[in-house]
Amino acid sequence: MEPFCHPLEVRWSDCDANQHVRHTAYADFCTHARIEWLRGQGFGFEQFQALGFGPVIFKEWTEYFKELRLSERIHVRLAIAGLSQDGKRFCIRHEIYKEDDRLAARHEVSGSWIDLTLRKLTAPPPELSAIFAWAERTEDFQALD
Protein backbone atom coordinates (compact mmCIF):
# COMPACT_ATOMS: atom_id res chain seq x y z
CA MET A 1 0.00 0.00 0.00
CA GLU A 2 1.06 3.57 -0.68
CA PRO A 3 2.39 5.30 2.48
CA PHE A 4 0.10 7.94 3.97
CA CYS A 5 1.70 11.39 4.26
CA HIS A 6 -0.16 14.45 5.49
CA PRO A 7 1.27 17.94 4.91
CA LEU A 8 1.04 20.61 7.62
CA GLU A 9 2.43 24.06 8.33
CA VAL A 10 3.75 25.02 11.76
CA ARG A 11 1.45 27.69 13.21
CA TRP A 12 2.10 30.38 15.82
CA SER A 13 0.04 28.40 18.34
CA ASP A 14 2.34 25.36 17.86
CA CYS A 15 5.37 27.24 19.16
CA ASP A 16 6.71 27.94 22.65
CA ALA A 17 8.81 30.64 24.33
CA ASN A 18 11.98 29.09 22.86
CA GLN A 19 10.66 29.94 19.38
CA HIS A 20 10.33 26.35 18.27
CA VAL A 21 7.53 23.79 18.23
CA ARG A 22 6.34 22.89 21.73
CA HIS A 23 6.45 19.23 22.69
CA THR A 24 2.67 18.69 22.82
CA ALA A 25 2.22 20.11 19.31
CA TYR A 26 4.00 17.05 17.89
CA ALA A 27 1.23 14.84 19.34
CA ASP A 28 -1.37 17.22 17.90
CA PHE A 29 0.21 17.01 14.43
CA CYS A 30 0.07 13.21 14.61
CA THR A 31 -3.50 13.08 15.88
CA HIS A 32 -4.58 15.33 13.04
CA ALA A 33 -2.76 13.13 10.51
CA ARG A 34 -4.39 9.96 11.92
CA ILE A 35 -7.86 11.45 11.72
CA GLU A 36 -7.23 12.67 8.16
CA TRP A 37 -5.95 9.20 7.21
CA LEU A 38 -9.11 7.53 8.52
CA ARG A 39 -11.37 10.19 7.02
CA GLY A 40 -9.65 9.79 3.67
CA GLN A 41 -10.38 6.06 3.84
CA GLY A 42 -14.08 6.77 4.40
CA PHE A 43 -14.10 6.42 8.19
CA GLY A 44 -14.52 9.90 9.65
CA PHE A 45 -15.93 11.34 12.85
CA GLU A 46 -19.49 10.67 11.69
CA GLN A 47 -18.85 6.92 11.54
CA PHE A 48 -17.40 6.88 15.05
CA GLN A 49 -20.44 8.80 16.33
CA ALA A 50 -22.97 6.63 14.54
CA LEU A 51 -21.38 3.42 15.81
CA GLY A 52 -20.87 4.73 19.36
CA PHE A 53 -17.21 3.90 19.74
CA GLY A 54 -13.82 5.53 19.51
CA PRO A 55 -10.10 5.17 20.13
CA VAL A 56 -8.54 5.08 23.57
CA ILE A 57 -4.80 5.70 23.86
CA PHE A 58 -2.85 3.72 26.47
CA LYS A 59 0.63 5.01 25.75
CA GLU A 60 2.29 7.57 23.53
CA TRP A 61 5.85 8.78 23.23
CA THR A 62 7.90 11.11 21.08
CA GLU A 63 11.56 11.09 20.11
CA TYR A 64 12.98 14.35 18.75
CA PHE A 65 15.71 14.67 16.11
CA LYS A 66 15.52 18.11 14.47
CA GLU A 67 14.03 21.40 15.59
CA LEU A 68 10.84 22.65 13.95
CA ARG A 69 10.02 26.35 13.81
CA LEU A 70 7.23 28.74 12.88
CA SER A 71 5.94 28.55 9.28
CA GLU A 72 7.91 25.43 8.39
CA ARG A 73 6.12 23.09 6.04
CA ILE A 74 6.25 19.55 7.34
CA HIS A 75 4.64 16.22 6.57
CA VAL A 76 3.56 13.38 8.81
CA ARG A 77 3.91 9.83 7.56
CA LEU A 78 2.15 7.05 9.42
CA ALA A 79 2.36 3.27 9.43
CA ILE A 80 1.04 0.46 11.58
CA ALA A 81 3.71 -0.77 14.02
CA GLY A 82 1.52 -3.34 15.76
CA LEU A 83 -1.93 -4.88 15.50
CA SER A 84 -3.79 -7.66 17.30
CA GLN A 85 -5.43 -10.47 15.32
CA ASP A 86 -8.92 -9.17 16.17
CA GLY A 87 -7.94 -5.55 15.48
CA LYS A 88 -8.81 -4.54 19.04
CA ARG A 89 -5.30 -3.32 19.89
CA PHE A 90 -3.08 -1.19 17.67
CA CYS A 91 0.19 0.70 17.59
CA ILE A 92 0.68 3.49 15.05
CA ARG A 93 4.04 5.08 14.30
CA HIS A 94 4.23 8.61 12.93
CA GLU A 95 7.32 10.17 11.46
CA ILE A 96 7.41 13.94 11.13
CA TYR A 97 9.63 15.23 8.34
CA LYS A 98 10.94 18.69 7.60
CA GLU A 99 10.42 20.13 4.13
CA ASP A 100 13.86 18.85 3.07
CA ASP A 101 12.83 15.32 4.15
CA ARG A 102 15.02 15.21 7.26
CA LEU A 103 13.35 13.30 10.09
CA ALA A 104 12.35 15.79 12.81
CA ALA A 105 10.54 13.44 15.22
CA ARG A 106 9.05 10.01 15.69
CA HIS A 107 5.79 9.67 17.63
CA GLU A 108 4.06 6.42 18.52
CA VAL A 109 0.64 5.70 20.01
CA SER A 110 -0.65 2.41 21.38
CA GLY A 111 -4.30 1.92 22.07
CA SER A 112 -7.54 0.11 21.54
CA TRP A 113 -11.17 0.81 20.70
CA ILE A 114 -13.81 1.53 23.32
CA ASP A 115 -17.59 1.08 23.19
CA LEU A 116 -18.80 4.45 24.45
CA THR A 117 -22.05 3.05 25.88
CA LEU A 118 -20.64 0.01 27.68
CA ARG A 119 -17.30 1.75 28.46
CA LYS A 120 -15.49 -1.47 27.56
CA LEU A 121 -12.85 -2.31 25.00
CA THR A 122 -14.25 -3.64 21.76
CA ALA A 123 -13.10 -4.89 18.38
CA PRO A 124 -13.53 -2.43 15.52
CA PRO A 125 -16.23 -2.85 12.87
CA PRO A 126 -15.22 -4.70 9.67
CA GLU A 127 -14.84 -1.50 7.62
CA LEU A 128 -12.30 -0.08 10.10
CA SER A 129 -10.50 -3.44 10.40
CA ALA A 130 -10.11 -3.42 6.62
CA ILE A 131 -8.45 0.02 6.69
CA PHE A 132 -5.89 -1.21 9.22
CA ALA A 133 -5.41 -4.49 7.33
CA TRP A 134 -4.38 -2.64 4.15
CA ALA A 135 -2.32 0.09 5.82
CA GLU A 136 1.44 0.30 5.45
CA ARG A 137 3.41 -1.66 8.09
CA THR A 138 6.63 -0.61 9.75
CA GLU A 139 9.72 -2.74 9.13
CA ASP A 140 9.57 -3.90 12.75
CA PHE A 141 5.79 -4.56 12.78
CA GLN A 142 4.66 -6.84 15.62
CA ALA A 143 1.53 -8.90 16.11
CA LEU A 144 -0.03 -7.82 19.41
CA ASP A 145 -1.77 -10.06 21.96
Side-chain angles (χ1 to χ4, degrees):
M1 163 159 249
E2 187 73 20
F4 177 82
C5 277
H6 186 69
L8 293 163
E9 183 175 343
V10 176
R11 304 163 303 172
W12 175 266
S13 60
D14 299 321
C15 297
D16 64 15
N18 293 328
Q19 301 175 16
H20 62 204
V21 171
R22 60 184 163 75
H23 67 285
T24 55
Y26 288 85
D28 293 340
F29 295 154
C30 296
T31 299
H32 181 71
R34 270 194 317 279
I35 298 305
E36 287 302 303
W37 168 62
L38 290 172
R39 190 178 65 77
Q41 298 296 315
F43 208 93
F45 185 71
E46 299 80 15
Q47 285 74 23
F48 283 105
Q49 271 193 312
L51 295 169
F53 85 108
V56 59
I57 302 300
F58 298 137
K59 178 174 103 173
E60 64 182 306
W61 60 266
T62 308
E63 187 175 11
Y64 306 94
F65 303 104
K66 298 287 180 196
E67 183 178 47
L68 294 176
R69 299 185 69 164
L70 180 65
S71 299
E72 278 196 75
R73 296 185 187 285
I74 61 173
H75 60 275
V76 180
R77 180 178 172 177
L78 66 84
I80 307 301
L83 192 63
S84 63
Q85 184 74 23
D86 61 4
K88 188 185 283 189
R89 294 187 181 276
F90 59 82
C91 181
I92 303 173
R93 181 173 304 150
H94 311 76
E95 292 181 329
I96 301 171
Y97 290 91
K98 295 172 74 67
E99 194 167 14
D100 63 5
D101 286 329
R102 289 184 297 159
L103 181 63
R106 183 174 293 121
H107 182 82
E108 219 168 89
V109 295
S110 296
S112 187
W113 305 104
I114 187 170
D115 181 306
L116 296 173
T117 302
L118 299 175
R119 308 306 289 181
K120 294 190 183 260
L121 298 183
T122 187
E127 57 267 39
L128 186 55
S129 289
I131 294 169
F132 274 74
W134 287 102
E136 180 185 19
R137 302 289 194 252
T138 61
E139 289 182 14
D140 60 346
F141 173 85
Q142 294 183 347
L144 304 176
D145 295 331

